[in-house]
Tab-separated table of all heavy atoms in Angstrom:
chain	number	residue	atom	x	y	z
A	214	MET	N	-6.501	7.773	20.953
A	214	MET	CA	-6.318	8.752	19.900
A	214	MET	C	-7.452	8.610	18.892
A	214	MET	O	-7.734	7.543	18.399
A	214	MET	CB	-4.971	8.526	19.230
A	214	MET	CG	-4.745	9.379	18.025
A	214	MET	SD	-3.161	8.987	17.264
A	214	MET	CE	-3.145	10.187	15.982
A	309	LEU	N	-2.054	7.713	13.208
A	309	LEU	CA	-3.043	6.640	13.353
A	309	LEU	C	-3.016	6.172	14.804
A	309	LEU	O	-1.978	6.239	15.450
A	309	LEU	CB	-2.688	5.444	12.468
A	309	LEU	CG	-2.936	5.504	10.972
A	309	LEU	CD1	-2.366	4.256	10.302
A	309	LEU	CD2	-4.418	5.634	10.659
A	310	PRO	N	-4.148	5.660	15.296
A	310	PRO	CA	-4.111	5.056	16.630
A	310	PRO	C	-3.139	3.879	16.619
A	310	PRO	O	-3.004	3.180	15.603
A	310	PRO	CB	-5.559	4.574	16.812
A	310	PRO	CG	-6.375	5.375	15.881
A	310	PRO	CD	-5.481	5.634	14.694
A	311	PRO	N	-2.439	3.624	17.741
A	311	PRO	CA	-1.458	2.544	17.774
A	311	PRO	C	-2.002	1.191	17.316
A	311	PRO	O	-1.299	0.435	16.629
A	311	PRO	CB	-1.053	2.497	19.249
A	311	PRO	CG	-1.274	3.901	19.732
A	311	PRO	CD	-2.486	4.393	18.993
A	312	ALA	N	-3.250	0.902	17.622
A	312	ALA	CA	-3.834	-0.375	17.223
A	312	ALA	C	-4.084	-0.459	15.712
A	312	ALA	O	-4.393	-1.549	15.213
A	312	ALA	CB	-5.140	-0.615	17.985
A	313	LYS	N	-3.907	0.641	15.000
A	313	LYS	CA	-4.169	0.653	13.560
A	313	LYS	C	-2.909	0.813	12.729
A	313	LYS	O	-2.980	0.886	11.486
A	313	LYS	CB	-5.177	1.766	13.195
A	313	LYS	CG	-6.530	1.568	13.840
A	313	LYS	CD	-7.171	0.279	13.332
A	313	LYS	CE	-8.544	0.061	13.913
A	313	LYS	NZ	-9.162	-1.167	13.386
A	314	ILE	N	-1.758	0.817	13.366
A	314	ILE	CA	-0.488	0.919	12.645
A	314	ILE	C	-0.329	-0.197	11.632
A	314	ILE	O	0.230	-0.008	10.555
A	314	ILE	CB	0.707	0.980	13.619
A	314	ILE	CG1	0.643	2.243	14.481
A	314	ILE	CG2	2.043	0.868	12.889
A	314	ILE	CD1	0.781	3.542	13.715
A	315	HIS	N	-0.845	-1.391	11.952
A	315	HIS	CA	-0.717	-2.523	11.033
A	315	HIS	C	-1.309	-2.221	9.658
A	315	HIS	O	-0.871	-2.754	8.659
A	315	HIS	CB	-1.325	-3.783	11.627
A	315	HIS	CG	-2.803	-3.740	11.741
A	315	HIS	ND1	-3.431	-3.183	12.840
A	315	HIS	CD2	-3.809	-4.159	10.921
A	315	HIS	CE1	-4.745	-3.275	12.699
A	315	HIS	NE2	-4.998	-3.846	11.535
A	352	HIS	N	3.945	-5.898	13.293
A	352	HIS	CA	2.644	-5.196	13.449
A	352	HIS	C	1.500	-6.074	13.004
A	352	HIS	O	0.440	-6.081	13.612
A	352	HIS	CB	2.625	-3.911	12.609
A	352	HIS	CG	3.567	-2.849	13.117
A	352	HIS	ND1	3.381	-2.203	14.302
A	352	HIS	CD2	4.730	-2.366	12.606
A	352	HIS	CE1	4.357	-1.349	14.510
A	352	HIS	NE2	5.186	-1.433	13.475
Side-chain angles (χ1 to χ4, degrees):
M214 173 182 183
L309 284 174
K313 297 298 182 178
I314 295 296
H315 68 275
H352 292 291

